[in-house]
Amino acid sequence: MKKIYYLLVCLMVACTLTTFNSCSSEEEEELIDETTINKYKTAIVGTWLRDGSKEYWRFDAMGSGSVAYGENWDADEDVHEGEGNQFQWYINSNGLMVIYKIGDAYEDPDPEAPFTIKSITSTKINWVTSDGYQQSLTKVK
Amino acid sequence: MRRPVKITLISLCSLLAVLVIAVVAVSQIVFNKDRLTPLVKQYAAEYVTCETQIGDIELTFFSSFPNVAICINDVAIVNPMDDAPNDTVLLIKRLFAKVDVMDYLKNDQITITGFTLEESQANLFVNADSVANYDIVALDDTEETDTTSTSVLDKMSLHNIEIQNLSASFVDLTNQMEARCRGVNLSLDTDASLQMLTGGGDIDLEAGEVYYSDTLNYASIINLKLKKSRLFYDGKDASVNVPQLSIESQEYLLSGDLSLLAKIWGMELENIDLQWKDGHPFLEGTTVLDSSEVTLGDEDLMYISTKRVDVDMPVTSTPELWTTHAKTAIQALSFAMDSEGTLADHLDVATEFTASTDSAFTDFVVKDMKTTVGSQRLEGYAHVNIADTTVTKADVDMTLGSTTLKDVLALVPESYSSALKGILMDARLESTQVKADCEVRESGFALKNAKLKTAVHSLDYSDDTNLSASFDDLTLGIAYPAGTRGNQIEINSVLSGLKVEQADDTSHLEASIPQTTVQTLVRDDVIDGKDPRLALKFDVEHLDARMDDTIQVQTENLKGSADVDMRSIKNCIKIDTKTHLSALTAQVGNSMNGSTGAVGLNLLAVYDEKQQDVLDMLSPEATFTLNDGKFQVEGVPYDILLPEVQASFNKNQATLSRCQLNIGNSDLGLKGVVSNINDYLKEKALLKGELDLTSNCVDADQLMDLVSGFGSDSTEVEEASMEPITADTTVADPFMVPKDVNFVVNTNVKTVTFNENSFNDVKGLLTCDDGILVLEQMGFTSKAADMQLTALYKSPRRNNLFVGWNFHLLNIDIAEMIRLVPEIDTIVPMLSSFQGKAEFHLAGESNLFADYSPKMSTLKAVAAIEGKDLTILDSETFETIKKYLFKESTTNKIDTLSVELAIARKKMTLYPMLVGWDKYEAIIAGNHTIVDAMPFNYNISITKCPLVGGHLGLDIKGNLDDVDNISFKLGSCKYANLYRPEKRNVTQSQTLELKNLISTSLKRMVKTEEKTEE
């Protein structure tokens, strides 16, 4: 790791010496409107299997609050429904946010959240993770 | 003689002769059978109401002179009645009687000098309306009741009675009674007064059958023969002499509350001589029964049978004493009781004794008694006194001769010996002496004193269960009264050389006790049938027990006492035991062996058989002590030492007063209470425990190795075998937290060593609550930091364990922190580049495989690291860079470090981390996968750089396990506006919110714990 950091620091110093200014602009945000948000909140409810894995996601209905709850679990690791990660979720203009429960508190954000939802149909979800990976999920029930 | 007198006498004689001739002549004319028979028939027809037939009647004088004889032939009285078995009431072939006329004329006595009855038959019958077939005499109602019959009997005496072939029956339907006899021949040469019932004579009697029955009883005698017997009774003295009396068979049934049925075959009495003179008896003679059978009770309550009984019991008496010297012999005596089965089976019993009693029959003595039962010999003395009608006093002194157990067992009836089938045993029994003095009152039986003494030698026992036992000597003594109050029965036994062994193809059990003494005191009210109370003391010098050469137990000086009171509490048995041994060694194959010093167990229990659960049934209260215990257990590389254990328990709770347990490097002192034991066993409540654990040192690594697999059971293992898991199921079972228990352990450990780290002053609560193990607010210190830990462990199933933690390292050196928690280096690789003090807060949870490895998909954690003045580069590198970038005064330290991390779904996110260093400021953020090749994706946003005056971004991607191929690309400065609120976008705001959420929630936990500790 020292090597990595040594490289990072050298690169940082080198970059500054080039007087190259690459910060002229930041990436544009892709925000979604309220109508779409409400549509997604309804359509996402159910149990989904992430394609190419045995990772299940269950989004429970929103209820009366602004956040809803759910769970994900990975059958590859002999984890069954009820034994997985309980989370609360909400969708805002920035996308789908998932925060996991540790102990009694929801304090652990999903490392790939917020998920930028591209589409939700009755059988498929397509989203992009915060670090830019596209993922699709298929509804199982 | 002068002539006139002579002439006068001759004349008178002649006159008398003429008179006699005249009377005879008249009698011959008047009373001859031709004239007399019609006369009697006429009177019979007049006075008898039924058909009467009379052959002839003859009255004679000459042939029987001076008696008058009457002879009646062929008499028949016929009176048919419904239901009567026979129409004929009376049938007489011949009746002959002689009466002494002169005695009547002179003394007014009716003397029947001869009476003969031949071939007679009487059939008497009473129907259901009480009408008799013999009520055949027509009485004149006007006649006064005959009162002369009694006076006639008073004057009557009988001599020379002869009855031949008499048959008689009497059937009474009103009373449901029947009696009959047949074939009766009687010859009685007697002189009997019917008035005084006195007299005597010689008797010959034969009866083919005598029978009687009513609704409850019956008696039947077949072929009774009594020959040449003589009877005498003068109103004061009496004698009976029976040279021979035989009865072919007898059968009696006496019914009542209990029925008695007796059957006797072939009874013979010989030379019976019974005299009663001046109020004193003399009896001599022998009685022989071919066989007999007696049944008592409708359902064979008791049954006695014999093959032959000989009784010779002469009795003599003086005015003060009656004495007999009796000899009896019984062949093939069988005795059975319905409740007990056969108690004697074809035993030959012979007894001889001298018995005496006072003339008032109140004091009985049996002495010189010699009885043999089979080959067993019993001798003794007995004395019974009933002079006081309210009490019966008795004392006995009996001695059973020396014998062998085999001979005794030979007497055991077959029904019992079947229970002994397959059992072989023998022993030598010394003579057994029993002395007893007792009283029987209305209030019950009272034993005044008693002694028994016996000894058994060389017992050998074996049975078909492959159990064998032997001992050298057993002496047994019983004495009464005993005890300080004299109300106890003392039983003392000394047993030596006891060996017990059971061996078959699969197991071998062996135990030996060289010497043991047992003293038992039983309260005497057991004699009255009350529940016993006994006190038992035992002393076993050495006990050696082995099973299969794998389990071996030896004890030294095992001593104890037990008090058992069967009636202390209503319907309950109170048991109070105290047991102590000086040393115990035990070995269970190669899996366990150990030894102890002194061990003590005191147990008080009240046994109530009405209860269903064991603890309710016993209500135990016990104390237990153990010293100097040392055990070696297979798989445990350390000795397990129990220097001292003191505990007590009852059905509701167990109290550990002191328990010192040393395992390996750990010493554990336990105190506390475990409660709800009974309700826990009934599955009504959790088992609760509150314990204090104090220790100087706990080696957590050693203990975790020890408890692996604890709590696993076959069911869970079976479930595990069915689980489609990817983890290796051949790994050892994990620690399964017990369910249905709630234990709180207040720990106070000076030093805990774990992963080569030492933690000091470890204090806090360890709870185990219904399948959940919690380390609650455990505070401790190490040389590197102060620490706080709350942790939780669950084991819902073998391959899906659960662990959660809340861990705070305060003021810790980063290098020490990484050494303490190596996983941090995996999760935050760049952290190892910093040096200095920091605070580390970590909360997380994860499911675990059976081998405790985390299931990364379930690993969730948030961490916050804060540091100040951290050294970031080694000195040589820093000095090189410093020349080009930094001011001369710049040190090799960053001002602040604030790191927030989150882990979930196999990924770690490093939230934007601001690093300020001299005139430079950069924000580092990104994520990396924490499994497989650990791909990462980081961005460095340089937000402050005096050299360029603008922003710069660098994207770094690659795999952490392949640092030689990391990709560096200039990219956007993602977080240029992160700390500029006016320019911050939605995503950045959300990022800061999450960062803040992590930091504040973790620190809040520290504050909460500190408050709690305060």
Side-chain angles (χ1 to χ4, degrees):
Chain A
M1 291 307 299
K2 275 191 172 182
K3 283 182 179 177
I4 297 169
Y5 227 76
Y6 179 78
L7 286 169
L8 286 175
V9 172
C10 288
L11 280 168
M12 185 177 74
V13 173
C15 290
T16 54
L17 290 173
T18 58
T19 66
F20 179 80
N21 189 342
S22 63
C23 302
S24 57
S25 65
E26 292 183 350
E27 290 182 2
E28 292 293 325
E29 284 188 300
E30 291 184 24
L31 300 179
I32 51 177
D33 57 52
E34 198 66 27
T35 306
T36 308
I37 290 171
N38 290 333
K39 191 181 83 176
Y40 286 167
K41 284 180 179 175
T42 306
I44 200 171
V45 173
T47 303
W48 307 81
L49 175 63
R50 189 163 65 81
D51 294 345
S53 73
K54 286 190 179 179
E55 182 183 293
Y56 291 84
W57 291 73
R58 192 192 72 242
F59 294 93
D60 298 334
M62 186 66 77
S64 59
S66 60
V67 296
Y69 300 90
E71 181 187 357
N72 66 33
W73 65 93
D74 194 335
D76 270 339
E77 288 195 316
D78 186 31
V79 184
H80 308 156
E81 185 175 2
E83 298 173 340
N85 305 315
Q86 293 176 27
F87 57 74
Q88 61 177 208
W89 63 271
Y90 58 87
I91 299 175
N92 59 19
S93 59
N94 206 33
L96 168 66
M97 193 65 212
V98 170
I99 302 176
Y100 294 102
K101 184 181 181 185
I102 295 178
D104 296 327
Y106 291 88
E107 60 188 45
D108 182 15
D110 189 286
E112 295 180 333
F115 300 95
T116 303
I117 298 174
K118 296 299 181 184
S119 66
I120 301 181
T121 67
S122 60
T123 57
K124 246 358 180 193
I125 296 177
N126 288 297
W127 67 37
V128 178
T129 64
S130 60
D131 49 356
Y133 293 101
Q134 288 194 358
Q135 292 177 345
S136 62
L137 298 89
T138 302
K139 195 167 191 179
V140 293
K141 62 178 178 180
Chain B
M1 182 180 293
R2 282 187 281 180
R3 186 175 178 86
V5 176
K6 191 174 180 180
I7 292 170
T8 302
L9 287 174
I10 292 170
S11 299
L12 286 174
C13 289
S14 300
L15 184 59
L16 183 60
V18 170
L19 182 60
V20 170
I21 291 168
V23 169
V24 170
V26 169
S27 299
Q28 288 293 325
I29 294 169
V30 175
F31 296 107
N32 71 33
K33 62 181 179 184
D34 292 334
R35 294 182 62 90
L36 190 59
T37 300
L39 194 63
V40 172
K41 286 181 178 178
Q42 182 183 340
Y43 279 105
E46 187 176 343
Y47 287 102
V48 177
T49 58
C50 63
E51 179 186 347
T52 305
Q53 297 173 9
I54 299 174
D56 56 65
I57 300 173
E58 188 176 359
L59 195 65
T60 63
F61 291 93
F62 295 107
S63 59
S64 57
F65 188 79
N67 299 317
V68 175
I70 185 168
C71 180
I72 304 172
N73 296 314
D74 300 324
V75 176
I77 298 174
V78 179
N79 185 15
M81 283 181 65
D82 291 341
D83 302 325
N86 204 319
D87 293 344
T88 302
V89 178
L90 182 67
L91 188 67
I92 299 173
K93 179 71 175 175
R94 180 171 181 268
L95 185 149
F96 178 80
K98 290 191 292 187
V99 180
D100 188 342
V101 177
M102 297 305 292
D103 197 22
Y104 179 75
L105 295 174
K106 290 179 180 177
N107 303 318
D108 193 23
Q109 289 291 318
I110 302 172
T111 302
I112 300 172
T113 58
F115 180 84
T116 301
L117 190 63
E118 296 178 2
E119 303 292 336
S120 301
Q121 188 183 112
N123 300 302
L124 307 181
F125 173 73
V126 179
N127 70 8
D129 298 325
S130 300
V131 178
N133 68 347
Y134 51 85
D135 187 11
I136 53 176
V137 179
L139 295 176
D140 186 351
D141 294 339
T142 60
E143 289 183 4
E144 294 183 357
T145 304
D146 183 8
T147 59
T148 60
S149 58
T150 302
S151 59
V152 170
L153 287 175
D154 290 345
K155 298 173 182 177
M156 187 178 287
S157 62
L158 284 171
H159 304 270
N160 300 324
I161 299 169
E162 183 91 16
I163 295 174
Q164 296 176 6
N165 197 19
L166 169 68
S167 295
S169 69
F170 176 71
V171 177
D172 183 350
L173 295 184
T174 303
N175 298 303
Q176 294 184 304
M177 187 266 280
E178 179 181 357
R180 66 175 181 267
C181 63
R182 62 176 178 79
V184 176
N185 297 308
L186 174 66
S187 174
L188 179 59
D189 183 8
T190 180
D191 180 10
S193 165
L194 296 183
Q195 177 191 9
M196 302 295 293
L197 292 176
T198 58
D202 298 326
I203 299 176
D204 285 309
L205 173 65
E206 288 184 4
E209 181 190 16
V210 178
Y211 177 85
Y212 168 84
S213 72
D214 57 27
T215 54
L216 295 175
N217 313 302
Y218 77 81
S220 172
I221 297 174
I222 304 296
N223 288 339
L224 181 149
K225 292 181 181 177
L226 180 66
K227 292 183 177 178
K228 298 177 182 176
S229 298
R230 183 167 182 78
L231 304 174
F232 171 76
Y233 175 62
D234 63 0
K236 181 182 178 186
D237 297 333
S239 67
V240 177
N241 182 271
V242 182
Q244 187 177 26
L245 168 64
S246 66
I247 299 174
E248 186 176 312
S249 72
Q250 305 167 68
E251 188 167 334
Y252 306 97
L253 173 66
L254 301 175
S255 300
D257 292 338
L258 286 176
S259 64
L260 174 69
L261 175 63
K263 296 178 181 177
I264 302 168
W265 291 274
M267 186 175 87
E268 288 187 7
L269 280 70
E270 292 183 349
N271 299 321
I272 301 297
D273 191 2
L274 171 62
Q275 295 183 29
W276 188 270
K277 192 172 183 181
D278 298 330
H280 305 296
F282 171 81
L283 173 65
E284 192 169 13
T286 59
T287 302
V288 177
L289 310 179
D290 277 352
S291 59
S292 64
E293 190 175 282
V294 176
T295 302
L296 179 66
D298 291 335
E299 298 179 357
D300 295 350
L301 184 67
M302 185 182 75
Y303 170 80
I304 302 172
S305 72
T306 63
K307 187 175 180 182
R308 179 184 170 92
V309 178
D310 290 271
V311 179
D312 184 4
M313 186 181 287
V315 177
T316 59
S317 73
T318 67
E320 294 79 25
L321 199 65
W322 293 38
T323 305
T324 181
H325 182 77
K327 292 181 182 176
T328 65
I330 303 172
Q331 289 182 16
L333 170 67
S334 293
F335 176 60
M337 296 188 72
D338 183 52
S339 57
E340 304 291 338
T342 302
L343 298 173
D345 194 7
H346 291 83
L347 294 181
D348 292 337
V349 179
T351 184
E352 182 178 344
F353 58 86
T354 298
S356 61
T357 176
D358 62 346
S359 57
F361 296 98
T362 59
D363 193 76
F364 302 88
V365 175
V366 177
K367 60 184 180 181
D368 300 330
M369 188 199 74
K370 295 174 182 173
T371 299
T372 58
V373 180
S375 61
Q376 307 306 305
R377 187 173 177 85
L378 181 68
E379 297 182 354
Y381 160 90
H383 177 205
V384 178
N385 185 285
I386 54 172
D388 182 348
T389 55
T390 63
V391 57
T392 299
K393 297 178 179 178
D395 62 281
V396 296
D397 183 352
M398 297 287 173
T399 301
L400 176 66
S402 300
T403 184
T404 64
L405 190 58
K406 192 177 285 184
D407 289 340
V408 174
L409 292 176
L411 304 178
V412 175
E414 191 173 344
S415 58
Y416 281 82
S417 63
S418 62
L420 300 173
K421 191 177 180 182
I423 295 176
L424 296 174
M425 60 178 166
D426 197 10
R428 192 158 46 82
L429 279 67
E430 281 188 9
S431 63
T432 302
Q433 186 178 22
V434 180
K435 288 183 178 180
D437 185 0
C438 59
E439 291 181 358
V440 180
R441 298 173 184 270
E442 281 188 12
S443 55
F445 177 81
L447 186 66
K448 308 298 286 183
N449 59 66
K451 282 186 180 178
L452 180 145
K453 186 178 179 183
T454 190
V456 184
H457 306 288
S458 305
L459 173 86
D460 281 309
Y461 171 92
S462 64
D463 63 27
D464 52 9
T465 67
N466 299 311
L467 174 67
S468 63
S470 65
F471 62 71
D472 297 333
D473 300 291
L474 168 67
T475 59
L476 179 68
I478 300 175
Y480 177 80
T484 52
R485 296 182 181 177
N487 63 343
Q488 289 176 310
I489 302 166
E490 181 177 5
I491 304 168
N492 284 307
S493 63
V494 179
L495 180 65
S496 62
L498 173 65
K499 292 180 181 174
V500 180
E501 186 175 359
Q502 185 166 34
D504 56 27
D505 295 339
T506 58
S507 65
H508 185 180
L509 175 69
E510 186 178 331
S512 65
I513 298 176
Q515 183 84 16
T516 181
T517 60
V518 179
Q519 181 197 48
T520 307
L521 289 169
V522 184
R523 205 159 64 183
D524 60 359
D525 47 12
V526 69
I527 300 168
D528 299 330
K530 295 178 180 174
D531 293 331
R533 176 175 180 174
L534 61 88
L536 179 75
K537 287 182 181 176
F538 56 89
D539 184 349
V540 181
E541 190 177 314
H542 176 77
L543 168 67
D544 187 340
R546 298 162 188 264
M547 189 171 83
D548 299 339
D549 291 332
T550 55
I551 298 177
Q552 298 179 24
V553 176
Q554 289 99 32
T555 67
E556 301 294 338
N557 298 319
L558 174 61
K559 295 180 180 179
S561 64
D563 281 299
V564 181
D565 191 346
M566 306 283 279
R567 63 187 187 95
S568 59
I569 300 174
K570 198 172 185 180
N571 299 323
C572 295
I573 301 170
K574 183 179 177 183
I575 304 164
D576 188 358
T577 66
K578 295 179 174 62
T579 308
H580 181 272
L581 55 86
S582 62
L584 179 145
T585 59
Q587 181 172 351
V588 183
N590 295 323
S591 60
M592 194 281 285
N593 72 76
S595 63
T596 73
V599 176
L601 174 65
N602 296 343
L603 171 66
L604 175 64
V606 178
Y607 177 75
D608 183 356
E609 64 179 0
K610 293 193 295 296
Q611 302 295 329
Q612 291 184 338
D613 298 298
V614 174
L615 288 179
D616 285 338
M617 203 176 279
L618 293 176
S619 298
E621 292 183 12
T623 59
F624 173 76
T625 60
L626 182 148
N627 291 288
D628 301 328
K630 182 178 181 182
F631 300 91
Q632 289 90 39
V633 178
E634 185 182 20
V636 178
Y638 330 104
D639 286 348
I640 300 173
L641 304 177
L642 287 167
E644 185 178 7
V645 177
Q646 292 178 8
S648 62
F649 65 88
N650 57 39
K651 71 175 184 179
N652 292 317
Q653 72 174 40
T655 302
L656 205 57
S657 305
R658 181 171 174 77
C659 175
Q660 185 62 41
L661 171 65
N662 299 339
I663 306 175
N665 298 326
S666 305
D667 63 277
L668 307 170
L670 280 170
K671 279 184 183 178
V673 175
V674 177
S675 56
N676 280 357
I677 295 173
N678 202 17
D679 287 342
Y680 167 73
L681 294 175
K682 294 176 182 174
E683 300 181 353
K684 288 182 177 177
L686 300 179
L687 182 67
K688 283 196 167 186
E690 292 185 14
L691 300 170
D692 292 332
L693 169 65
T694 56
S695 172
N696 291 318
C697 178
V698 170
D699 189 327
D701 297 310
Q702 288 183 350
L703 295 184
M704 285 184 67
D705 288 341
L706 290 178
V707 299
S708 289
F710 175 82
S712 298
D713 59 26
S714 57
T715 308
E716 285 168 334
V717 171
E718 191 174 319
E719 285 176 1
S721 66
M722 298 170 67
E723 290 174 351
I725 59 174
T726 55
D728 182 6
T729 55
T730 61
V731 299
D733 290 324
F735 170 66
M736 304 297 285
V737 185
K739 293 181 179 176
D740 304 326
V741 300
N742 181 347
F743 270 65
V744 177
V745 181
N746 189 10
T747 59
N748 185 353
V749 183
K750 286 187 176 174
T751 303
V752 175
T753 58
F754 177 64
N755 270 353
E756 300 180 353
N757 298 301
S758 292
F759 306 100
N760 301 319
D761 298 324
V762 179
K763 296 177 181 176
L765 294 179
L766 169 64
T767 62
C768 179
D769 187 3
D770 199 16
I772 302 172
L773 187 67
V774 179
L775 279 173
E776 190 174 341
Q777 295 182 358
M778 191 76 72
F780 46 94
T781 63
S782 75
K783 62 182 181 183
D786 295 331
M787 304 175 212
Q788 294 176 17
L789 173 65
T790 295
L792 181 149
Y793 175 82
K794 293 190 287 188
S795 50
R797 59 187 171 93
R798 178 182 178 276
N799 197 45
N800 195 54
L801 313 170
F802 177 88
V803 62
W805 65 90
N806 197 328
F807 185 42
H808 304 280
L809 294 170
L810 307 176
N811 195 28
I812 187 169
D813 182 85
I814 291 177
E816 182 65 18
M817 180 173 69
I818 292 172
R819 195 182 67 77
L820 201 62
V821 190
E823 290 76 11
I824 293 177
D825 193 37
T826 306
I827 297 167
V828 194
M830 68 288 292
L831 195 63
S832 59
S833 301
F834 297 98
Q835 294 175 20
K837 295 279 187 177
E839 283 190 4
F840 176 62
H841 307 278
L842 174 65
E845 58 188 44
S846 176
N847 294 10
L848 307 174
F849 289 106
D851 62 355
Y852 302 118
S853 61
K855 296 183 177 181
M856 300 306 283
S857 69
T858 64
L859 174 63
K860 304 181 290 293
V862 288
I865 303 169
E866 286 189 354
K868 287 182 180 178
D869 300 328
L870 301 178
T871 302
I872 195 167
L873 294 171
D874 62 86
S875 299
E876 187 180 348
T877 307
F878 173 73
E879 289 300 328
T880 305
I881 297 174
K882 182 180 175 182
K883 294 175 184 175
Y884 304 103
L885 299 177
F886 300 143
K887 292 183 291 187
E888 187 62 30
S889 59
T890 303
T891 58
N892 185 17
K893 288 182 179 177
I894 60 171
D895 298 332
T896 59
L897 177 67
S898 177
V899 180
E900 282 80 25
L901 305 169
I903 299 171
R905 291 201 303 117
K906 306 178 186 176
K907 269 193 175 179
M908 190 280 288
T909 296
L910 172 65
Y911 283 87
M913 178 178 77
L914 178 66
V915 180
W917 193 13
D918 193 36
K919 298 169 289 185
Y920 303 92
E921 193 174 270
I923 297 172
I924 305 169
N927 61 55
H928 73 264
T929 303
I930 57 176
V931 296
D932 302 327
M934 303 178 71
F936 64 86
N937 181 4
Y938 281 92
N939 174 269
I940 299 175
S941 297
I942 298 171
T943 57
K944 197 174 179 183
C945 178
L947 297 175
V948 296
H951 300 153
L952 181 64
L954 178 65
D955 292 329
I956 307 170
K957 293 183 179 178
N959 295 327
L960 283 180
D961 65 351
D962 185 15
V963 295
D964 295 332
N965 293 299
I966 294 175
S967 160
F968 298 92
K969 286 183 181 177
L970 290 174
S972 59
C973 181
K974 287 185 179 178
Y975 302 104
N977 299 321
L978 187 67
Y979 292 104
R980 296 177 182 173
E982 69 280 6
K983 293 186 177 181
R984 195 181 295 153
N985 64 20
V986 174
T987 304
Q988 288 169 342
S989 297
Q990 191 172 32
T991 300
L992 282 181
E993 286 172 12
L994 295 175
K995 186 177 165 72
N996 189 52
L997 170 69
I998 294 168
S999 177
T1000 54
S1001 62
L1002 283 171
K1003 289 176 183 175
R1004 186 173 63 244
M1005 293 176 198
V1006 176
K1007 289 175 183 174
T1008 304
E1009 290 171 0
E1010 286 172 351
K1011 284 177 184 174
T1012 305
E1013 285 182 359
E1014 288 169 2

